[in-house]
Amino acid sequence: MNDRVAFLQAGGETGALIAQRDWSKSPIGPIEAWPQSLLTALSIVLHSPTPIVMLWGPQGVMLYNDAYSVFAGARHPELLGSNVLEGWPEVADFNAHVMEVGLAGGSLSYNNQELVLYRHGRAENVVMNLDYSPVFDEAGAPAGVIAIVVETTEQVRAEAALKAERDRARSVLEGMTDGFMLLAHDFTILEINAEGIRVDGRPREAFIGQDHWKVWPDTYDMPLGQIYRQAMSERTAFAIENRYVFPDGRVTWLDVRGNPVEEGLAIFYRDITERKLAEEHLRLMVHELNHRVKNSLATVQAISAQTLRGREVPLEVREALTSRLLALAKAHDVLTDARWAGARLEEIAAQAAEPYGAERFRIEGPGVILPPRAAIAMALAFHELATNAAKYGALSNGSGEVLLAWRLEEGANPPKLELKWREQGGPPVKPPTRKGFGSRLIQRGLAAEFVGEVRMDFPPSGLVCEMEVALPAPGGEAWADWPER
């Protein structure tokens, strides 16, 4: 090998194939006779890491590098030295145009050009970036064409798949009844859906690409703004109900939830203004109802006191009636606080213990919610038991106490509540000779509200009252382990 073609030794596998080949019968003649312009261009081609093919002469004899041999697939090495129109017959028309322009001294460039090639014996849809430039001979005339070939098939497919995924996501977001907004890490608004635009009232252009704090400057110092910044910096999710007053005086309540994502912070929000207005109206109605009920109970107390006065009714009877009406009023207060959805059993128990000191009671049991009517019946029952204990039982001295405990029977259908009132430390107990009003109220009143059994025993150590009552299944009128409201 003479010094003129010594560069072929450093031209990789393809350079070695070119050096070993007999080119005497090729349209470009033996390698020893190749012009310097061809050798110089070929040296550049062979040493490039980018797939490059040189089409030399009118026939477009193909000389290429190792990177292009990979692109050629199974057609290499037979493709080396072939005429381009014969080497790639499926794109002969395309290459004929390339040769015509290149040998006339022109250049061509194609970005993501789609072609069908048979590189492995089957049709392949490929996408390529193609750049064609003429190669001039010693006389300055175009003698060949250099083609830089960069296949972008996988990139284009990946971008198309990503675009399709984004389009599907956008379609879902646009169809959501919740507002959606995507914030970049610097709080630039990247996306907002149709519902988000509707809630605010401004066009889409007012949001996309804008700084969130410029679009809503007054939210920066609000708790919502502080939560946004904390969620972004600490990468934590959040949920908040936020009241926002627009510049035009319009008031909107939003249920806002945020989740950190790779792009920044995804925020979902729902307009709950109507719900908030309805809740406020309901709250006012419930308080008004409670006010009227308490007024009615006060009227009943006054009528009862007036009616019983001067009729030789014992003071004890009058006080008992008054205390029962007061217990009824307190039970209504508990229900009002819960918007008459029900009352917690532990709150009813604590209310009964309050007049005698919480230290005199040991109250134990899981969270249970009773429906309104049953809650009132239970409150009156606890009142009667506490009143009786204060007169005759454990609360009548300074050392007695009451253990009030309940449990839920696991797996029972319907759920079963077992409750025990046990007095200890009081004076010795004697069984009553007759059943008083309080006992009848406990047993009959609870029986009217629950399916179950009430037992009252009077051992000397103190009264024991046991209740076994069936609770309606979840979704009925009583619930066990109710969530916080």
Side-chain angles (χ1 to χ4, degrees):
M1 181 180 296
N2 59 50
D3 293 342
R4 294 181 69 238
V5 294
F7 69 88
L8 294 175
Q9 296 179 353
E13 177 197 4
T14 310
L17 290 174
I18 294 173
Q20 297 165 9
R21 184 175 181 134
D22 180 7
W23 294 90
S24 60
K25 296 181 181 180
S26 169
I28 60 178
I31 195 169
E32 294 80 5
W34 286 0
Q36 187 59 46
S37 56
L38 169 56
L39 296 176
T40 301
L42 180 58
S43 175
I44 295 172
V45 169
L46 292 175
H47 290 83
S48 174
T50 301
I52 301 179
V53 59
M54 183 165 56
L55 315 175
W56 193 262
Q59 295 84 1
V61 177
M62 302 181 68
L63 301 167
Y64 50 80
N65 60 10
D66 285 351
Y68 187 87
S69 71
V70 175
F71 166 80
R75 283 187 167 173
H76 174 74
E78 285 75 13
L79 193 64
L80 185 66
S82 67
N83 299 337
V84 67
L85 301 186
E86 298 169 358
W88 296 104
E90 63 270 32
V91 287
D93 292 341
F94 180 84
N95 283 327
H97 174 67
V98 168
M99 291 298 299
E100 180 182 359
V101 172
L103 293 178
S107 299
L108 292 170
S109 183
Y110 299 91
N111 186 45
N112 290 333
Q113 175 67 41
E114 296 182 11
L115 295 172
V116 178
L117 300 180
Y118 288 79
R119 297 182 291 184
H120 302 281
R122 65 182 186 280
E124 293 180 69
N125 294 306
V126 299
V127 185
M128 294 178 289
N129 290 340
L130 302 169
D131 291 288
Y132 299 96
S133 302
V135 180
F136 298 91
D137 61 16
E138 284 75 3
V145 178
I146 278 185
I148 300 175
V149 181
V150 178
E151 185 170 359
T152 59
T153 305
E154 294 304 320
Q155 176 185 342
V156 169
R157 288 176 180 171
E159 290 175 352
L162 180 60
K163 181 179 182 302
E165 186 66 27
R166 286 176 175 171
D167 289 343
R168 285 193 293 271
R170 180 181 291 276
S171 177
V172 171
L173 291 173
E174 290 301 307
M176 288 173 56
T177 56
D178 285 6
F180 170 78
M181 181 168 56
L182 179 61
L183 300 180
H185 291 275
D186 63 354
F187 291 96
T188 298
I189 302 173
L190 301 178
E191 190 58 77
I192 188 169
N193 69 351
E195 176 62 12
I197 293 172
R198 184 200 68 78
V199 170
D200 185 89
R202 284 175 282 185
R204 181 180 179 83
E205 294 75 23
F207 306 98
I208 302 301
Q210 302 299 316
D211 187 319
H212 178 277
W213 309 120
K214 291 182 179 179
V215 177
W216 293 285
D218 51 342
T219 63
Y220 186 87
D221 294 322
M222 291 173 59
L224 182 65
Q226 298 170 13
I227 289 173
Y228 277 17
R229 294 192 295 277
Q230 181 178 358
M232 190 76 84
S233 63
E234 299 180 4
R235 312 306 294 157
T236 54
F238 68 86
I240 185 177
E241 290 186 354
N242 180 67
R243 180 177 181 269
Y244 184 71
V245 181
F246 286 89
D248 60 3
R250 180 165 50 100
V251 177
T252 299
W253 275 95
L254 298 176
D255 177 9
V256 186
R257 287 149 290 135
N259 293 280
V261 294
E262 183 177 350
E263 293 86 348
L265 189 64
I267 299 172
F268 298 85
Y269 47 99
R270 177 176 299 177
D271 189 340
I272 57 171
T273 306
E274 291 187 8
R275 193 198 84 192
K276 280 292 186 178
L277 293 176
E279 288 177 352
E280 178 63 17
H281 179 69
L282 177 61
R283 186 184 66 81
L284 293 174
M285 291 287 291
V286 168
H287 278 282
E288 177 63 21
L289 175 62
N290 185 60
H291 179 69
R292 294 186 181 186
V293 168
K294 291 178 74 173
N295 284 346
S296 296
L297 289 174
T299 301
V300 170
Q301 284 180 303
I303 293 175
S304 300
Q306 184 66 31
T307 303
L308 298 176
R309 184 178 300 156
R311 301 203 174 202
E312 299 181 354
V313 176
L315 176 62
E316 179 182 356
V317 174
R318 283 183 285 176
E319 289 179 346
L321 177 59
T322 299
S323 66
R324 286 164 181 158
L325 290 174
L326 182 60
L328 183 62
K330 288 183 177 180
H332 276 78
D333 287 339
V334 173
L335 288 168
T336 300
D337 291 339
R339 299 182 182 179
W340 278 79
R344 294 186 179 278
L345 182 54
E346 57 265 37
E347 288 187 36
I348 296 173
Q351 188 183 76
E354 182 181 4
Y356 308 100
E359 68 278 0
R360 305 290 297 275
F361 282 76
R362 287 164 48 200
I363 301 174
E364 303 172 356
V368 176
I369 293 292
L370 299 177
R373 288 175 57 187
I376 291 174
M378 190 66 77
L380 291 176
F382 286 165
H383 169 76
E384 293 300 326
L385 289 169
T387 300
N388 183 73
K391 289 182 178 180
Y392 314 111
L395 302 179
S396 64
N397 61 16
S399 59
E401 64 176 2
V402 174
L403 172 63
L404 176 55
W406 61 88
R407 72 180 188 90
L408 288 167
E409 183 178 335
E410 298 291 340
N413 187 19
K416 185 175 291 185
L417 175 68
E418 298 179 358
L419 186 146
K420 177 182 288 188
W421 173 291
R422 181 163 59 89
E423 300 179 22
Q424 59 188 23
V429 173
K430 296 180 180 180
T433 56
R434 64 181 183 84
K435 184 177 292 187
F437 174 79
S439 299
R440 292 195 301 272
L441 185 148
I442 294 171
Q443 293 179 305
R444 296 178 183 177
L446 290 178
E449 297 302 331
F450 297 102
V451 177
E453 181 181 0
V454 179
R455 297 184 299 275
M456 298 184 71
D457 296 321
F458 299 87
S461 58
L463 167 68
V464 177
C465 178
E466 294 181 311
M467 309 176 194
E468 293 182 3
V469 296
L471 299 176
E477 289 191 329
W479 297 265
D481 294 326
W482 229 30
E484 292 294 334
R485 293 199 164 200

